[in-house]
Amino acid sequence: MLFFNTYNHKTCGDSMNQRQQELLDRLNRTGRILIEEEAEHFGVTSMTIRRDLRFLEKNGLAVQTKNGAIPKPKIHAAPLNIAEDSAVKRKIAARLLEMIEPSSTVLLSTGTTTLTFARLLAQQNLPLTIITNSIPITSALFQTRIKVILIGGELRTNSLDLVGPAAEKYLSEYHIDLLVTGCDGADAQQGFYTSDLNLANLEKLSAKVSDKVIVITESRKFGRKALVKFAEIVDVDAIITDNRLKAIDRELITRNGVEIIVT
Amino acid sequence: MLFFNTYNHKTCGDSMNQRQQELLDRLNRTGRILIEEEAEHFGVTSMTIRRDLRFLEKNGLAVQTKNGAIPKPKIHAAPLNIAEDSAVKRKIAARLLEMIEPSSTVLLSTGTTTLTFARLLAQQNLPLTIITNSIPITSALFQTRIKVILIGGELRTNSLDLVGPAAEKYLSEYHIDLLVTGCDGADAQQGFYTSDLNLANLEKLSAKVSDKVIVITESRKFGRKALVKFAEIVDVDAIITDNRLKAIDRELITRNGVEIIVT
DNA sequence: GTTGTATGTGTTAAAAAATAACATTATTTG
DNA sequence: CAAATAATGTTATTTTTTAACACATACAAC
């Protein structure tokens, strides 16, 4: 028989009473509770339930809504929301959607623009296989007809995605019809940039195992260079961006034989 | 230059106006908006903002709260909540926490009881490395001191976890201090069961690469056998369960030299 | 036993928020 | 342009939430 040491890690020091425990259970089970219903169920006044909900909210376990509460959203935390899901991105995503061939295998890289696209995909009913290294994208696509394969690796906590040698090794065994990726910076002559070295390596490999490559990005990314270049302009087959792209950039790209689509 | 076909996949047919678009953007950016603030920002009455929020809620993009709204939780969807996070599980998790050695590497398998434990871990400040195949567990642990490694594989949409040959291959290269896993069924003489063949294979391999194995499970799982056995009783070093475990089961387990802890 | 303190709950009145119904103003459309 | 339609504003009413206090219960000290 093995021996396990015991450690005195302090457990959450609140002191929930029995009713609050059960209230939280019911909340998590149903996804939503109503004050009046719970008051009746527990045989207490609605005021008491209100106080309980206030307590749960204070402890980060629930969010109070109109006549009740919902569980505290668990993944949808701050850093991921920044600049996410703008109208510009939704337009770009809608344009990309028209170019997706049913039943194909698409590698969808991490990023907020690709995430917007994934959310759009989730509303369609396309038969597709999506390979991704992004947890938010995976989350967006679950419970759809889409088959999802998530590349494993080390978690980057800011962007909730997976990178590193393990991810590369994993990816190297696949063959992809279409790579869709965003970028942190772009230059009409130099190519595409990202701010993470690990991610850049993964992107390079992704392009290598894919038949076609499409970059989707807001035009404001052009002119900004980030830390690491991961692709030349000529490495990609098409770029989708918004209509504020400078004419000169547009011409430079076209001259390289790369299709550029503005929304 | 490549040619891309265009397909007429129908895009979400709502027709949001400009203000609603921007409202949604602001909501996603900040994680929360207040009606009065937005009314002032857009130069409209609060009534108009209320109508907008009602619209966004109807379209599944937001949830109305007290004086405003939050973005619709994106991952925290129905199937995962069932029976999750009960008081019994929280007790078991708290007991397990005491046995966790700081700075160790723990393989935390998919499951609702292990998820409860992960949520508890997230509130501590322990230096740990957690390897898991569960997206909810990964989500629970991000933005903590814990280093998280997610095993890639094919997504099981009901449980939001990753299994399959790719996952096994990925795992086989690691060495683990402690495996923590749950089960779908247990028998004091026969061992532990799960209802998915792929997962069973992964569990077997997990036990093989781990120094110690702890099973955490509600006592009601005892007596239920599920589809596939993944471990014998003697394969594990300790079992943590609640105090409603039958005396006979407890004795049978102890007789096998396995430590059993009831909360 | 009483007394005091703390905690939880109920009750009520007041404040705030949400709604419905209708008036008004823009926007389309023929 | 005029009619029709949609969007927004206004107001009165209803509903929800809050704050403040009253009551009860439990526990400890004396």
Side-chain angles (χ1 to χ4, degrees):
Chain A
M1 171 154 59
L2 286 194
F3 176 73
F4 285 96
N5 288 315
T6 63
Y7 302 86
N8 197 11
H9 306 133
K10 67 172 185 309
T11 162
C12 184
D14 15 54
S15 81
M16 257 193 271
N17 65 31
Q18 180 63 39
R19 186 189 55 245
Q20 288 162 339
Q21 286 265 353
E22 191 182 333
L23 198 58
L24 180 57
D25 287 346
R26 288 165 64 81
L27 177 59
N28 283 327
R29 235 189 303 279
T30 62
R32 160 143 223 208
I33 54 179
L34 297 175
I35 290 174
E36 292 303 332
E37 276 180 22
E38 297 308 313
E40 186 168 2
H41 174 260
F42 286 102
V44 294
T45 1
S46 61
M47 193 63 225
T48 300
I49 300 295
R50 279 178 204 287
R51 284 191 263 244
D52 288 342
L53 293 184
R54 224 181 279 178
F55 173 86
L56 291 179
E57 173 147 32
K58 215 177 62 190
N59 284 64
L61 297 165
V63 176
Q64 292 175 270
T65 62
K66 184 87 202 313
N67 307 312
I70 60 173
K72 172 77 172 255
K74 303 243 161 71
I75 193 182
H76 194 264
L80 208 57
N81 296 323
I82 296 166
E84 152 194 323
D85 231 21
S86 73
V88 170
K89 288 178 184 183
R90 278 194 293 271
K91 258 184 141 176
I92 293 172
R95 186 65 184 79
L96 171 59
L97 181 63
E98 298 170 8
M99 298 166 69
I100 299 298
E101 188 171 349
S103 305
S104 59
T105 298
V106 178
L107 176 48
L108 200 52
S109 187
T110 183
T112 52
T113 311
T114 48
L115 176 57
T116 299
F117 174 66
R119 297 221 172 100
L120 183 60
L121 262 188
Q123 295 173 344
Q124 314 299 117
N125 207 18
L126 286 178
L128 280 177
T129 300
I130 298 283
I131 302 181
T132 183
N133 66 327
S134 159
I135 290 181
I137 287 176
T138 306
S139 304
L141 294 175
F142 94 118
Q143 286 192 324
T144 67
R145 283 179 64 187
I146 294 168
K147 179 175 175 181
V148 181
I149 294 172
L150 179 61
I151 299 169
E154 272 184 45
L155 184 69
R156 294 198 306 166
T157 54
N158 286 334
S159 45
L160 278 178
D161 53 33
L162 305 151
V163 298
E168 291 165 35
K169 188 170 172 204
Y170 190 103
L171 183 60
S172 63
E173 297 183 15
Y174 283 92
H175 170 260
I176 312 288
D177 295 321
L178 172 66
L179 164 64
V180 173
T181 186
C183 65
D184 290 334
D187 183 289
Q189 299 184 78
Q190 293 297 316
F192 300 100
Y193 294 79
T194 182
S195 47
D196 184 291
L197 182 58
N198 275 325
L199 183 59
N201 286 335
L202 194 61
E203 297 280 13
K204 282 179 196 166
L205 181 62
S206 298
K208 201 180 288 179
V209 301
S210 303
D211 283 347
K212 293 184 186 176
V213 178
I214 296 182
V215 172
I216 55 178
T217 183
E218 294 172 279
S219 64
R220 64 189 177 84
K221 298 286 178 64
F222 277 85
R224 294 186 189 178
K225 292 183 188 172
L227 185 65
V228 203
K229 175 150 77 170
F230 68 89
E232 304 287 342
I233 291 286
V234 295
D235 290 337
V236 315
D237 300 297
I239 301 167
I240 307 180
T241 188
D242 58 86
N243 58 18
R244 304 183 71 170
L245 183 70
K246 288 187 195 133
I248 176 73
D249 285 338
R250 188 168 176 171
E251 198 190 319
L252 283 168
I253 291 165
T254 309
R255 201 177 292 167
N256 272 315
V258 174
E259 188 170 356
I260 177 126
I261 298 159
V262 299
T263 60
Chain B
M1 169 153 60
L2 287 194
F3 176 72
F4 286 95
N5 287 315
T6 62
Y7 303 86
N8 197 11
H9 306 134
K10 67 169 188 310
T11 162
C12 182
D14 15 54
S15 80
M16 255 193 272
N17 66 32
Q18 180 63 38
R19 186 189 54 247
Q20 288 162 338
Q21 287 264 354
E22 191 182 334
L23 197 59
L24 180 57
D25 288 346
R26 288 165 63 82
L27 177 59
N28 283 327
R29 233 189 304 280
T30 62
R32 159 141 223 213
I33 55 178
L34 296 175
I35 290 175
E36 291 303 333
E37 277 180 22
E38 297 307 314
E40 187 168 1
H41 174 259
F42 286 103
V44 295
T45 8
S46 61
M47 192 64 224
T48 300
I49 301 294
R50 278 177 205 286
R51 283 192 264 244
D52 288 343
L53 293 184
R54 223 181 281 177
F55 173 86
L56 291 179
E57 172 147 34
K58 215 177 60 191
N59 284 63
L61 297 165
V63 176
Q64 290 175 272
T65 62
K66 184 82 207 317
N67 310 313
I70 60 172
K72 171 79 171 251
K74 303 240 161 75
I75 193 183
H76 194 263
L80 209 56
N81 295 323
I82 295 166
E84 155 195 320
D85 233 19
S86 72
V88 170
K89 288 178 184 183
R90 278 194 294 270
K91 258 184 140 177
I92 293 172
R95 188 65 185 81
L96 171 60
L97 181 64
E98 297 170 9
M99 299 166 67
I100 298 297
E101 189 170 349
S103 302
S104 59
T105 298
V106 178
L107 176 47
L108 200 52
S109 187
T110 183
T112 52
T113 312
T114 48
L115 176 57
T116 300
F117 174 66
R119 297 222 172 99
L120 183 60
L121 262 187
Q123 294 172 347
Q124 315 299 120
N125 207 19
L126 286 178
L128 280 178
T129 301
I130 297 284
I131 302 181
T132 183
N133 66 328
S134 158
I135 290 181
I137 287 176
T138 306
S139 304
L141 294 175
F142 95 118
Q143 286 191 325
T144 66
R145 283 179 64 188
I146 294 167
K147 179 175 176 182
V148 180
I149 295 173
L150 180 60
I151 299 170
E154 274 184 43
L155 184 68
R156 294 198 307 166
T157 53
N158 286 332
S159 46
L160 278 177
D161 53 33
L162 305 150
V163 297
E168 291 165 35
K169 187 170 174 206
Y170 190 101
L171 183 60
S172 64
E173 296 183 16
Y174 283 91
H175 169 260
I176 312 288
D177 294 322
L178 172 65
L179 164 64
V180 173
T181 186
C183 64
D184 290 334
D187 182 289
Q189 301 184 75
Q190 293 297 316
F192 300 100
Y193 294 78
T194 181
S195 47
D196 184 293
L197 181 59
N198 275 325
L199 183 59
N201 286 333
L202 195 61
E203 296 280 12
K204 283 179 197 167
L205 181 62
S206 298
K208 201 179 288 179
V209 301
S210 303
D211 283 346
K212 293 183 186 177
V213 178
I214 296 181
V215 172
I216 55 177
T217 183
E218 294 171 280
S219 63
R220 64 189 177 84
K221 299 285 178 65
F222 277 86
R224 296 186 189 179
K225 291 182 187 172
L227 185 65
V228 203
K229 175 150 78 169
F230 67 89
E232 304 286 343
I233 291 287
V234 295
D235 290 338
V236 314
D237 299 298
I239 301 167
I240 307 179
T241 189
D242 58 86
N243 57 19
R244 305 183 70 171
L245 183 70
K246 288 188 194 136
I248 176 72
D249 285 338
R250 189 167 174 170
E251 198 190 318
L252 283 168
I253 291 164
T254 308
R255 200 177 293 168
N256 272 315
V258 173
E259 189 169 357
I260 176 125
I261 297 159
V262 298
T263 60

